[in-house]
Amino acid sequence: MLMKQLCSRRALHFVFKVGNRTENARFYRDVLGMQILRHEEFEEGCKAACNGPYDGKWSKTMVGYGPEDNHFVAELTYNYGIGSSKLGNDFLGITVSSKSVFERAKGTSDKITEENGACVLSSPDGYVFKVLEKSLQGDPVQIVTLASSNLLKSIDFWVRLCGMKIFDQHDKSAILGYANDQCKLELVDIEKPVDHGTAFGRIAISCPSVELPALENLMKSEHQTILTPLVSLDTPRKATVQVVIIADPDGHEICYVGDEAFRELSKADKNANTLLDEAITADKSDDWFAKKGKTKVAA
C-alpha cells in the first residue's frame, strides 16, 4: 500500500528567481519554445517563502511544454525591486530532449555552446539548459540536475525518506525518480560543499494531501530540516493548497504539496500570456531606476 502511495507522487516544477521578466519571457517563449501556463501577482510575500525571504510585491509565472498534470515546468518568481540573485553551485541544469527545441535554440542569437552533441544555453539569470536533438514521447523536460557533496548520503535521503527509486547510478552521479514517465532528478557529487548563493531554487513534488502530516513526522523523527511546517497557502481566486517544505542534507529545498488542490490550482490559464505581458508593461521599476541613474539591488 505504501509503495502504491509513493508511486502517486510526481515531480512538478523547479523554482527560479528572475530579475528581468522581459528578457525571461523572450528566453522561455522564443528560445526554449515553452508556453506561459499561469501568471499570478501577489501584494505580499509568501508564507512559505516561495519568492524567497522577501515581504513585498512579487509575481509567479509558470512556463513549460504542457499542463502541470503531466509536464515538469519552471516557476519564475520575480520580486519587484530585486534586479539579480547570486548563483551558487547547487543547480547544475535542466535537460530537454526535443528535436524542434534543439533546432529553435540553434537558430537564435543566444550564446550557445555544444557538449557531446547537445545544445547548452543559459537563461538571462544564468540557469543552464541542455537541449538534446532527440524527440521522445511525453514531456520534453527529462532531467533536473542538482549538486551533492556526498552522493551516498543524498541517495539515502531521497530514496529512503522521499520514496524515490534509483533508475541509474555511477560513482559520482545517480538518477532518481518516482516513475518512468516523469522528469527525473539527477544528483552529481561535486566533492565540495554545496553553495546555494542567493538564487537558491526549490523543487516541488505533489503527493496525496493525507500523506503530508506523516511525511512531516517522518522528517522530524529522522532529524531532518523542516523549513516550513504544514501550512495552507492561498492564491487569489484559486484553490488553497497545503504544503510541507523540507531540505535535503545539502540544503536543497523540497516543497511537498497536496496533489488534489494543486491539480485545481495549476490548471492552465488561457489568459496567462496576456497577464504576464500586462504586468511587464505596468512595471515601470526599470525606467524609474534608470532615470535615477541607479540599478536595482542584488539579492
mmCIF file of all heavy atoms in Angstrom, residues 18 21 25 29 35-42 57-63 68 74-78 80 235-238 265-283:
data_model
loop_
_atom_site.group_PDB
_atom_site.id
_atom_site.type_symbol
_atom_site.label_atom_id
_atom_site.label_comp_id
_atom_site.label_asym_id
_atom_site.label_seq_id
_atom_site.Cartn_x
_atom_site.Cartn_y
_atom_site.Cartn_z
ATOM 1 N N VAL A 18 14.047 35.327 -10.894
ATOM 2 C CA VAL A 18 14.419 36.064 -12.095
ATOM 3 C C VAL A 18 14.443 37.556 -11.805
ATOM 4 O O VAL A 18 13.708 38.055 -10.942
ATOM 5 C CB VAL A 18 13.463 35.762 -13.267
ATOM 6 C CG1 VAL A 18 13.448 34.273 -13.577
ATOM 7 C CG2 VAL A 18 12.054 36.267 -12.992
ATOM 8 N N ARG A 21 11.762 40.320 -16.223
ATOM 9 C CA ARG A 21 10.719 39.480 -16.811
ATOM 10 C C ARG A 21 10.664 39.601 -18.336
ATOM 11 O O ARG A 21 10.304 38.644 -19.015
ATOM 12 C CB ARG A 21 9.362 39.801 -16.189
ATOM 13 C CG ARG A 21 9.252 39.333 -14.745
ATOM 14 C CD ARG A 21 7.872 39.546 -14.190
ATOM 15 N NE ARG A 21 7.516 40.957 -14.113
ATOM 16 C CZ ARG A 21 6.422 41.417 -13.517
ATOM 17 N NH1 ARG A 21 5.581 40.574 -12.953
ATOM 18 N NH2 ARG A 21 6.167 42.711 -13.493
ATOM 19 N N ALA A 25 10.837 36.307 -20.462
ATOM 20 C CA ALA A 25 9.709 35.937 -21.314
ATOM 21 C C ALA A 25 10.209 35.606 -22.717
ATOM 22 O O ALA A 25 9.773 34.628 -23.343
ATOM 23 C CB ALA A 25 8.689 37.069 -21.361
ATOM 24 N N ARG A 29 9.876 31.749 -23.944
ATOM 25 C CA ARG A 29 8.905 31.628 -25.026
ATOM 26 C C ARG A 29 9.582 31.420 -26.384
ATOM 27 O O ARG A 29 9.229 30.521 -27.135
ATOM 28 C CB ARG A 29 8.010 32.880 -25.084
ATOM 29 C CG ARG A 29 6.897 32.880 -24.063
ATOM 30 C CD ARG A 29 5.866 33.958 -24.329
ATOM 31 N NE ARG A 29 6.346 35.311 -24.127
ATOM 32 C CZ ARG A 29 5.586 36.323 -23.698
ATOM 33 N NH1 ARG A 29 4.305 36.124 -23.443
ATOM 34 N NH2 ARG A 29 6.082 37.523 -23.546
ATOM 35 N N GLN A 35 5.419 27.388 -23.189
ATOM 36 C CA GLN A 35 4.166 28.133 -23.075
ATOM 37 C C GLN A 35 4.102 28.826 -21.712
ATOM 38 O O GLN A 35 4.622 28.308 -20.720
ATOM 39 C CB GLN A 35 2.971 27.189 -23.188
ATOM 40 C CG GLN A 35 2.947 26.291 -24.401
ATOM 41 C CD GLN A 35 1.927 25.187 -24.239
ATOM 42 O OE1 GLN A 35 0.848 25.367 -23.666
ATOM 43 N NE2 GLN A 35 2.257 24.004 -24.755
ATOM 44 N N ILE A 36 3.444 29.980 -21.688
ATOM 45 C CA ILE A 36 3.121 30.605 -20.409
ATOM 46 C C ILE A 36 1.845 29.940 -19.920
ATOM 47 O O ILE A 36 0.787 30.075 -20.537
ATOM 48 C CB ILE A 36 2.926 32.128 -20.547
ATOM 49 C CG1 ILE A 36 4.132 32.765 -21.251
ATOM 50 C CG2 ILE A 36 2.707 32.749 -19.170
ATOM 51 C CD1 ILE A 36 5.453 32.591 -20.522
ATOM 52 N N LEU A 37 1.937 29.190 -18.849
ATOM 53 C CA LEU A 37 0.808 28.403 -18.359
ATOM 54 C C LEU A 37 -0.045 29.160 -17.352
ATOM 55 O O LEU A 37 -1.275 29.040 -17.356
ATOM 56 C CB LEU A 37 1.321 27.113 -17.715
ATOM 57 C CG LEU A 37 2.152 26.215 -18.631
ATOM 58 C CD1 LEU A 37 2.825 25.116 -17.819
ATOM 59 C CD2 LEU A 37 1.283 25.618 -19.726
ATOM 60 N N ARG A 38 0.599 29.914 -16.479
ATOM 61 C CA ARG A 38 -0.108 30.701 -15.467
ATOM 62 C C ARG A 38 0.734 31.929 -15.128
ATOM 63 O O ARG A 38 1.951 31.876 -15.189
ATOM 64 C CB ARG A 38 -0.313 29.909 -14.169
ATOM 65 C CG ARG A 38 -1.288 28.766 -14.256
ATOM 66 C CD ARG A 38 -1.577 28.181 -12.882
ATOM 67 N NE ARG A 38 -0.492 27.365 -12.364
ATOM 68 C CZ ARG A 38 0.037 27.472 -11.154
ATOM 69 N NH1 ARG A 38 -0.376 28.412 -10.329
ATOM 70 N NH2 ARG A 38 0.995 26.666 -10.765
ATOM 71 N N HIS A 39 0.062 33.011 -14.765
ATOM 72 C CA HIS A 39 0.768 34.171 -14.220
ATOM 73 C C HIS A 39 -0.073 34.751 -13.097
ATOM 74 O O HIS A 39 -1.270 34.994 -13.272
ATOM 75 C CB HIS A 39 1.033 35.247 -15.270
ATOM 76 C CG HIS A 39 1.702 36.454 -14.685
ATOM 77 N ND1 HIS A 39 3.058 36.467 -14.395
ATOM 78 C CD2 HIS A 39 1.208 37.645 -14.270
ATOM 79 C CE1 HIS A 39 3.363 37.628 -13.848
ATOM 80 N NE2 HIS A 39 2.267 38.361 -13.752
ATOM 81 N N GLU A 40 0.567 34.964 -11.947
ATOM 82 C CA GLU A 40 -0.144 35.468 -10.768
ATOM 83 C C GLU A 40 0.678 36.556 -10.090
ATOM 84 O O GLU A 40 1.906 36.453 -9.992
ATOM 85 C CB GLU A 40 -0.413 34.315 -9.785
ATOM 86 C CG GLU A 40 -1.355 33.253 -10.349
ATOM 87 C CD GLU A 40 -1.094 31.842 -9.834
ATOM 88 O OE1 GLU A 40 -0.141 31.671 -9.039
ATOM 89 O OE2 GLU A 40 -1.842 30.937 -10.242
ATOM 90 N N GLU A 41 -0.020 37.588 -9.633
ATOM 91 C CA GLU A 41 0.603 38.706 -8.933
ATOM 92 C C GLU A 41 0.200 38.660 -7.460
ATOM 93 O O GLU A 41 -0.951 38.365 -7.130
ATOM 94 C CB GLU A 41 0.162 40.036 -9.553
ATOM 95 C CG GLU A 41 0.608 40.246 -10.989
ATOM 96 C CD GLU A 41 2.039 40.757 -11.080
ATOM 97 O OE1 GLU A 41 2.484 41.466 -10.153
ATOM 98 O OE2 GLU A 41 2.717 40.443 -12.088
ATOM 99 N N PHE A 42 1.153 38.977 -6.576
ATOM 100 C CA PHE A 42 0.905 38.954 -5.137
ATOM 101 C C PHE A 42 1.374 40.269 -4.516
ATOM 102 O O PHE A 42 2.429 40.790 -4.879
ATOM 103 C CB PHE A 42 1.645 37.783 -4.482
ATOM 104 C CG PHE A 42 1.268 36.431 -5.028
ATOM 105 C CD1 PHE A 42 1.919 35.904 -6.144
ATOM 106 C CD2 PHE A 42 0.252 35.689 -4.442
ATOM 107 C CE1 PHE A 42 1.562 34.667 -6.660
ATOM 108 C CE2 PHE A 42 -0.105 34.444 -4.954
ATOM 109 C CZ PHE A 42 0.549 33.930 -6.064
ATOM 110 N N LYS A 57 5.884 43.029 -2.856
ATOM 111 C CA LYS A 57 5.141 42.594 -4.032
ATOM 112 C C LYS A 57 6.005 41.673 -4.899
ATOM 113 O O LYS A 57 7.190 41.922 -5.101
ATOM 114 C CB LYS A 57 4.703 43.821 -4.826
ATOM 115 C CG LYS A 57 3.787 43.507 -6.000
ATOM 116 C CD LYS A 57 3.335 44.791 -6.687
ATOM 117 C CE LYS A 57 2.440 44.481 -7.872
ATOM 118 N NZ LYS A 57 1.989 45.708 -8.567
ATOM 119 N N TRP A 58 5.370 40.633 -5.440
ATOM 120 C CA TRP A 58 6.106 39.689 -6.281
ATOM 121 C C TRP A 58 5.141 39.006 -7.257
ATOM 122 O O TRP A 58 3.916 39.158 -7.129
ATOM 123 C CB TRP A 58 6.830 38.638 -5.440
ATOM 124 C CG TRP A 58 5.934 37.703 -4.676
ATOM 125 C CD1 TRP A 58 5.157 37.997 -3.584
ATOM 126 C CD2 TRP A 58 5.709 36.315 -4.941
ATOM 127 N NE1 TRP A 58 4.476 36.895 -3.153
ATOM 128 C CE2 TRP A 58 4.790 35.846 -3.962
ATOM 129 C CE3 TRP A 58 6.192 35.423 -5.885
ATOM 130 C CZ2 TRP A 58 4.358 34.516 -3.914
ATOM 131 C CZ3 TRP A 58 5.757 34.098 -5.846
ATOM 132 C CH2 TRP A 58 4.856 33.660 -4.860
ATOM 133 N N SER A 59 5.698 38.296 -8.212
ATOM 134 C CA SER A 59 4.852 37.568 -9.164
ATOM 135 C C SER A 59 5.397 36.167 -9.384
ATOM 136 O O SER A 59 6.570 35.886 -9.143
ATOM 137 C CB SER A 59 4.745 38.316 -10.495
ATOM 138 O OG SER A 59 5.958 38.207 -11.237
ATOM 139 N N LYS A 60 4.502 35.313 -9.854
ATOM 140 C CA LYS A 60 4.848 33.921 -10.166
ATOM 141 C C LYS A 60 4.378 33.625 -11.585
ATOM 142 O O LYS A 60 3.222 33.873 -11.931
ATOM 143 C CB LYS A 60 4.153 32.977 -9.188
ATOM 144 C CG LYS A 60 4.288 31.499 -9.501
ATOM 145 C CD LYS A 60 3.239 30.678 -8.758
ATOM 146 C CE LYS A 60 3.374 30.804 -7.252
ATOM 147 N NZ LYS A 60 2.385 29.926 -6.554
ATOM 148 N N THR A 61 5.276 33.098 -12.414
ATOM 149 C CA THR A 61 4.926 32.729 -13.779
ATOM 150 C C THR A 61 5.343 31.288 -14.025
ATOM 151 O O THR A 61 6.508 30.944 -13.848
ATOM 152 C CB THR A 61 5.632 33.641 -14.807
ATOM 153 O OG1 THR A 61 5.373 35.016 -14.487
ATOM 154 C CG2 THR A 61 5.147 33.348 -16.210
ATOM 155 N N MET A 62 4.380 30.456 -14.418
ATOM 156 C CA MET A 62 4.670 29.055 -14.693
ATOM 157 C C MET A 62 4.844 28.884 -16.203
ATOM 158 O O MET A 62 3.993 29.309 -16.991
ATOM 159 C CB MET A 62 3.537 28.156 -14.201
ATOM 160 C CG MET A 62 3.084 28.423 -12.774
ATOM 161 S SD MET A 62 4.395 28.301 -11.527
ATOM 162 C CE MET A 62 4.777 26.550 -11.623
ATOM 163 N N VAL A 63 5.956 28.260 -16.605
ATOM 164 C CA VAL A 63 6.239 28.058 -18.025
ATOM 165 C C VAL A 63 6.622 26.600 -18.255
ATOM 166 O O VAL A 63 7.278 25.972 -17.431
ATOM 167 C CB VAL A 63 7.375 28.987 -18.523
ATOM 168 C CG1 VAL A 63 6.971 30.444 -18.401
ATOM 169 C CG2 VAL A 63 8.669 28.735 -17.753
ATOM 170 N N GLU A 68 0.609 21.161 -16.136
ATOM 171 C CA GLU A 68 1.381 20.657 -14.999
ATOM 172 C C GLU A 68 0.923 19.285 -14.520
ATOM 173 O O GLU A 68 1.630 18.629 -13.764
ATOM 174 C CB GLU A 68 1.343 21.668 -13.855
ATOM 175 C CG GLU A 68 2.060 22.961 -14.187
ATOM 176 C CD GLU A 68 1.858 24.047 -13.146
ATOM 177 O OE1 GLU A 68 2.499 23.972 -12.085
ATOM 178 O OE2 GLU A 68 1.058 24.962 -13.396
ATOM 179 N N ALA A 74 8.725 25.138 -15.134
ATOM 180 C CA ALA A 74 9.545 26.074 -14.365
ATOM 181 C C ALA A 74 8.643 27.128 -13.737
ATOM 182 O O ALA A 74 7.691 27.599 -14.363
ATOM 183 C CB ALA A 74 10.589 26.742 -15.259
ATOM 184 N N GLU A 75 8.920 27.478 -12.514
ATOM 185 C CA GLU A 75 8.243 28.574 -11.831
ATOM 186 C C GLU A 75 9.218 29.746 -11.745
ATOM 187 O O GLU A 75 10.282 29.629 -11.134
ATOM 188 C CB GLU A 75 7.787 28.160 -10.436
ATOM 189 C CG GLU A 75 7.150 29.303 -9.648
ATOM 190 C CD GLU A 75 6.694 28.889 -8.261
ATOM 191 O OE1 GLU A 75 6.075 27.808 -8.131
ATOM 192 O OE2 GLU A 75 6.959 29.648 -7.299
ATOM 193 N N LEU A 76 8.863 30.846 -12.369
ATOM 194 C CA LEU A 76 9.706 32.037 -12.368
ATOM 195 C C LEU A 76 9.152 33.017 -11.351
ATOM 196 O O LEU A 76 8.052 33.552 -11.518
ATOM 197 C CB LEU A 76 9.737 32.672 -13.762
ATOM 198 C CG LEU A 76 10.000 31.727 -14.945
ATOM 199 C CD1 LEU A 76 10.002 32.515 -16.250
ATOM 200 C CD2 LEU A 76 11.311 30.975 -14.765
ATOM 201 N N THR A 77 9.896 33.259 -10.280
ATOM 202 C CA THR A 77 9.452 34.207 -9.270
ATOM 203 C C THR A 77 10.232 35.514 -9.419
ATOM 204 O O THR A 77 11.453 35.510 -9.563
ATOM 205 C CB THR A 77 9.628 33.657 -7.846
ATOM 206 O OG1 THR A 77 11.018 33.425 -7.581
ATOM 207 C CG2 THR A 77 8.876 32.356 -7.667
ATOM 208 N N TYR A 78 9.494 36.594 -9.408
ATOM 209 C CA TYR A 78 10.054 37.930 -9.619
ATOM 210 C C TYR A 78 9.665 38.808 -8.443
ATOM 211 O O TYR A 78 8.471 38.956 -8.125
ATOM 212 C CB TYR A 78 9.513 38.513 -10.918
ATOM 213 C CG TYR A 78 9.784 39.984 -11.123
ATOM 214 C CD1 TYR A 78 11.046 40.444 -11.487
ATOM 215 C CD2 TYR A 78 8.767 40.924 -10.969
ATOM 216 C CE1 TYR A 78 11.292 41.801 -11.686
ATOM 217 C CE2 TYR A 78 8.992 42.269 -11.177
ATOM 218 C CZ TYR A 78 10.252 42.712 -11.533
ATOM 219 O OH TYR A 78 10.486 44.059 -11.728
ATOM 220 N N TYR A 80 9.608 42.525 -7.106
ATOM 221 C CA TYR A 80 9.716 43.910 -7.558
ATOM 222 C C TYR A 80 10.843 44.609 -6.803
ATOM 223 O O TYR A 80 10.896 44.573 -5.577
ATOM 224 C CB TYR A 80 8.399 44.641 -7.324
ATOM 225 C CG TYR A 80 7.309 44.271 -8.309
ATOM 226 C CD1 TYR A 80 6.599 43.076 -8.172
ATOM 227 C CD2 TYR A 80 6.989 45.100 -9.364
ATOM 228 C CE1 TYR A 80 5.590 42.731 -9.072
ATOM 229 C CE2 TYR A 80 5.989 44.774 -10.271
ATOM 230 C CZ TYR A 80 5.299 43.581 -10.123
ATOM 231 O OH TYR A 80 4.309 43.249 -11.018
ATOM 232 N N THR A 235 -3.970 31.390 -2.979
ATOM 233 C CA THR A 235 -3.758 32.131 -4.212
ATOM 234 C C THR A 235 -5.062 32.838 -4.537
ATOM 235 O O THR A 235 -6.118 32.187 -4.552
ATOM 236 C CB THR A 235 -3.370 31.202 -5.375
ATOM 237 O OG1 THR A 235 -2.123 30.567 -5.059
ATOM 238 C CG2 THR A 235 -3.203 31.983 -6.671
ATOM 239 N N PRO A 236 -5.044 34.151 -4.766
ATOM 240 C CA PRO A 236 -6.290 34.891 -5.011
ATOM 241 C C PRO A 236 -7.174 34.236 -6.069
ATOM 242 O O PRO A 236 -6.710 33.896 -7.150
ATOM 243 C CB PRO A 236 -5.781 36.264 -5.482
ATOM 244 C CG PRO A 236 -4.432 36.402 -4.840
ATOM 245 C CD PRO A 236 -3.858 35.018 -4.837
ATOM 246 N N ARG A 237 -8.447 33.989 -5.701
ATOM 247 C CA ARG A 237 -9.466 33.442 -6.609
ATOM 248 C C ARG A 237 -9.146 32.030 -7.096
ATOM 249 O O ARG A 237 -9.703 31.570 -8.081
ATOM 250 C CB ARG A 237 -9.689 34.381 -7.808
ATOM 251 C CG ARG A 237 -10.166 35.781 -7.422
ATOM 252 C CD ARG A 237 -10.257 36.686 -8.631
ATOM 253 N NE ARG A 237 -8.953 36.865 -9.257
ATOM 254 C CZ ARG A 237 -8.012 37.697 -8.818
ATOM 255 N NH1 ARG A 237 -8.215 38.411 -7.715
ATOM 256 N NH2 ARG A 237 -6.858 37.806 -9.460
ATOM 257 N N LYS A 238 -8.242 31.340 -6.404
ATOM 258 C CA LYS A 238 -7.900 29.977 -6.802
ATOM 259 C C LYS A 238 -7.865 29.067 -5.572
ATOM 260 O O LYS A 238 -8.125 29.491 -4.454
ATOM 261 C CB LYS A 238 -6.560 29.950 -7.537
ATOM 262 C CG LYS A 238 -6.609 30.669 -8.881
ATOM 263 C CD LYS A 238 -5.343 30.450 -9.677
ATOM 264 C CE LYS A 238 -5.427 31.139 -11.028
ATOM 265 N NZ LYS A 238 -4.215 30.911 -11.845
ATOM 266 N N LEU A 265 -5.476 24.174 -8.639
ATOM 267 C CA LEU A 265 -4.731 25.431 -8.710
ATOM 268 C C LEU A 265 -3.946 25.563 -10.008
ATOM 269 O O LEU A 265 -3.854 26.648 -10.588
ATOM 270 C CB LEU A 265 -3.760 25.511 -7.529
ATOM 271 C CG LEU A 265 -2.731 26.641 -7.544
ATOM 272 C CD1 LEU A 265 -3.416 27.987 -7.366
ATOM 273 C CD2 LEU A 265 -1.667 26.429 -6.475
ATOM 274 N N SER A 266 -3.390 24.450 -10.483
ATOM 275 C CA SER A 266 -2.415 24.512 -11.568
ATOM 276 C C SER A 266 -3.015 24.417 -12.967
ATOM 277 O O SER A 266 -2.279 24.295 -13.945
ATOM 278 C CB SER A 266 -1.392 23.383 -11.391
ATOM 279 O OG SER A 266 -2.019 22.113 -11.493
ATOM 280 N N LYS A 267 -4.311 24.486 -13.082
ATOM 281 C CA LYS A 267 -4.916 24.447 -14.412
ATOM 282 C C LYS A 267 -4.392 25.600 -15.264
ATOM 283 O O LYS A 267 -4.293 26.734 -14.803
ATOM 284 C CB LYS A 267 -6.439 24.522 -14.308
ATOM 285 C CG LYS A 267 -7.080 23.258 -13.748
ATOM 286 C CD LYS A 267 -8.591 23.384 -13.673
ATOM 287 C CE LYS A 267 -9.226 22.103 -13.148
ATOM 288 N NZ LYS A 267 -10.694 22.236 -13.021
ATOM 289 N N ALA A 268 -4.041 25.287 -16.502
ATOM 290 C CA ALA A 268 -3.503 26.318 -17.387
ATOM 291 C C ALA A 268 -4.545 27.407 -17.630
ATOM 292 O O ALA A 268 -5.736 27.132 -17.749
ATOM 293 C CB ALA A 268 -3.081 25.697 -18.713
ATOM 294 N N ASP A 269 -4.068 28.639 -17.679
ATOM 295 C CA ASP A 269 -4.914 29.812 -17.867
ATOM 296 C C ASP A 269 -4.725 30.327 -19.290
ATOM 297 O O ASP A 269 -3.612 30.693 -19.683
ATOM 298 C CB ASP A 269 -4.519 30.883 -16.849
ATOM 299 C CG ASP A 269 -5.398 32.117 -16.911
ATOM 300 O OD1 ASP A 269 -6.227 32.229 -17.844
ATOM 301 O OD2 ASP A 269 -5.245 32.992 -16.034
ATOM 302 N N LYS A 270 -5.794 30.361 -20.064
ATOM 303 C CA LYS A 270 -5.696 30.816 -21.452
ATOM 304 C C LYS A 270 -5.279 32.282 -21.559
ATOM 305 O O LYS A 270 -4.837 32.730 -22.618
ATOM 306 C CB LYS A 270 -7.026 30.600 -22.173
ATOM 307 C CG LYS A 270 -8.176 31.424 -21.615
ATOM 308 C CD LYS A 270 -9.471 31.136 -22.372
ATOM 309 C CE LYS A 270 -10.621 31.978 -21.825
ATOM 310 N NZ LYS A 270 -11.894 31.708 -22.563
ATOM 311 N N ASN A 271 -5.426 33.022 -20.459
ATOM 312 C CA ASN A 271 -5.054 34.439 -20.451
ATOM 313 C C ASN A 271 -3.654 34.678 -19.901
ATOM 314 O O ASN A 271 -3.260 35.824 -19.685
ATOM 315 C CB ASN A 271 -6.068 35.243 -19.621
ATOM 316 C CG ASN A 271 -7.468 35.179 -20.198
ATOM 317 O OD1 ASN A 271 -7.653 35.336 -21.401
ATOM 318 N ND2 ASN A 271 -8.450 34.937 -19.343
ATOM 319 N N ALA A 272 -2.900 33.601 -19.663
ATOM 320 C CA ALA A 272 -1.609 33.736 -18.988
ATOM 321 C C ALA A 272 -0.642 34.645 -19.745
ATOM 322 O O ALA A 272 0.038 35.487 -19.146
ATOM 323 C CB ALA A 272 -0.988 32.356 -18.776
ATOM 324 N N ASN A 273 -0.556 34.484 -21.056
ATOM 325 C CA ASN A 273 0.338 35.329 -21.849
ATOM 326 C C ASN A 273 -0.008 36.802 -21.678
ATOM 327 O O ASN A 273 0.867 37.646 -21.453
ATOM 328 C CB ASN A 273 0.251 34.951 -23.330
ATOM 329 C CG ASN A 273 1.351 34.002 -23.751
ATOM 330 O OD1 ASN A 273 2.523 34.300 -23.628
ATOM 331 N ND2 ASN A 273 0.957 32.849 -24.255
ATOM 332 N N THR A 274 -1.284 37.099 -21.788
ATOM 333 C CA THR A 274 -1.743 38.488 -21.666
ATOM 334 C C THR A 274 -1.459 39.038 -20.279
ATOM 335 O O THR A 274 -0.997 40.179 -20.125
ATOM 336 C CB THR A 274 -3.248 38.576 -21.973
ATOM 337 O OG1 THR A 274 -3.481 38.113 -23.297
ATOM 338 C CG2 THR A 274 -3.739 40.006 -21.842
ATOM 339 N N LEU A 275 -1.729 38.240 -19.253
ATOM 340 C CA LEU A 275 -1.498 38.688 -17.880
ATOM 341 C C LEU A 275 -0.026 39.005 -17.640
ATOM 342 O O LEU A 275 0.307 40.002 -16.996
ATOM 343 C CB LEU A 275 -1.986 37.631 -16.892
ATOM 344 C CG LEU A 275 -3.500 37.416 -16.825
ATOM 345 C CD1 LEU A 275 -3.826 36.215 -15.938
ATOM 346 C CD2 LEU A 275 -4.197 38.667 -16.294
ATOM 347 N N LEU A 276 0.857 38.149 -18.154
ATOM 348 C CA LEU A 276 2.284 38.397 -17.995
ATOM 349 C C LEU A 276 2.689 39.664 -18.736
ATOM 350 O O LEU A 276 3.382 40.527 -18.180
ATOM 351 C CB LEU A 276 3.101 37.208 -18.504
ATOM 352 C CG LEU A 276 4.613 37.419 -18.567
ATOM 353 C CD1 LEU A 276 5.188 37.746 -17.196
ATOM 354 C CD2 LEU A 276 5.306 36.198 -19.165
ATOM 355 N N ASP A 277 2.272 39.802 -19.983
ATOM 356 C CA ASP A 277 2.652 40.971 -20.773
ATOM 357 C C ASP A 277 2.114 42.259 -20.152
ATOM 358 O O ASP A 277 2.797 43.295 -20.137
ATOM 359 C CB ASP A 277 2.148 40.830 -22.211
ATOM 360 C CG ASP A 277 2.898 39.751 -22.980
ATOM 361 O OD1 ASP A 277 4.032 39.427 -22.580
ATOM 362 O OD2 ASP A 277 2.345 39.224 -23.968
ATOM 363 N N GLU A 278 0.900 42.211 -19.633
ATOM 364 C CA GLU A 278 0.325 43.389 -18.982
ATOM 365 C C GLU A 278 1.102 43.758 -17.719
ATOM 366 O O GLU A 278 1.335 44.945 -17.446
ATOM 367 C CB GLU A 278 -1.144 43.143 -18.638
ATOM 368 C CG GLU A 278 -2.056 43.127 -19.857
ATOM 369 C CD GLU A 278 -3.500 42.827 -19.510
ATOM 370 O OE1 GLU A 278 -3.764 42.399 -18.351
ATOM 371 O OE2 GLU A 278 -4.373 42.997 -20.380
ATOM 372 N N ALA A 279 1.520 42.743 -16.961
ATOM 373 C CA ALA A 279 2.288 43.001 -15.742
ATOM 374 C C ALA A 279 3.647 43.607 -16.073
ATOM 375 O O ALA A 279 4.125 44.520 -15.389
ATOM 376 C CB ALA A 279 2.459 41.713 -14.944
ATOM 377 N N ILE A 280 4.262 43.112 -17.136
ATOM 378 C CA ILE A 280 5.561 43.652 -17.561
ATOM 379 C C ILE A 280 5.410 45.109 -17.985
ATOM 380 O O ILE A 280 6.220 45.978 -17.620
ATOM 381 C CB ILE A 280 6.143 42.807 -18.708
ATOM 382 C CG1 ILE A 280 6.552 41.422 -18.183
ATOM 383 C CG2 ILE A 280 7.345 43.510 -19.341
ATOM 384 C CD1 ILE A 280 6.993 40.459 -19.270
ATOM 385 N N THR A 281 4.363 45.406 -18.744
ATOM 386 C CA THR A 281 4.125 46.775 -19.202
ATOM 387 C C THR A 281 3.846 47.716 -18.037
ATOM 388 O O THR A 281 4.316 48.863 -18.015
ATOM 389 C CB THR A 281 2.934 46.804 -20.184
ATOM 390 O OG1 THR A 281 3.238 45.980 -21.306
ATOM 391 C CG2 THR A 281 2.655 48.220 -20.665
ATOM 392 N N ALA A 282 3.086 47.230 -17.068
ATOM 393 C CA ALA A 282 2.719 48.068 -15.924
ATOM 394 C C ALA A 282 3.869 48.286 -14.956
ATOM 395 O O ALA A 282 3.865 49.256 -14.186
ATOM 396 C CB ALA A 282 1.538 47.433 -15.184
ATOM 397 N N ASP A 283 4.855 47.423 -14.992
ATOM 398 C CA ASP A 283 6.004 47.519 -14.078
ATOM 399 C C ASP A 283 6.995 48.537 -14.639
ATOM 400 O O ASP A 283 7.750 48.254 -15.558
ATOM 401 C CB ASP A 283 6.666 46.144 -13.942
ATOM 402 C CG ASP A 283 7.874 46.163 -13.004
ATOM 403 O OD1 ASP A 283 8.137 47.208 -12.383
ATOM 404 O OD2 ASP A 283 8.539 45.122 -12.904
#
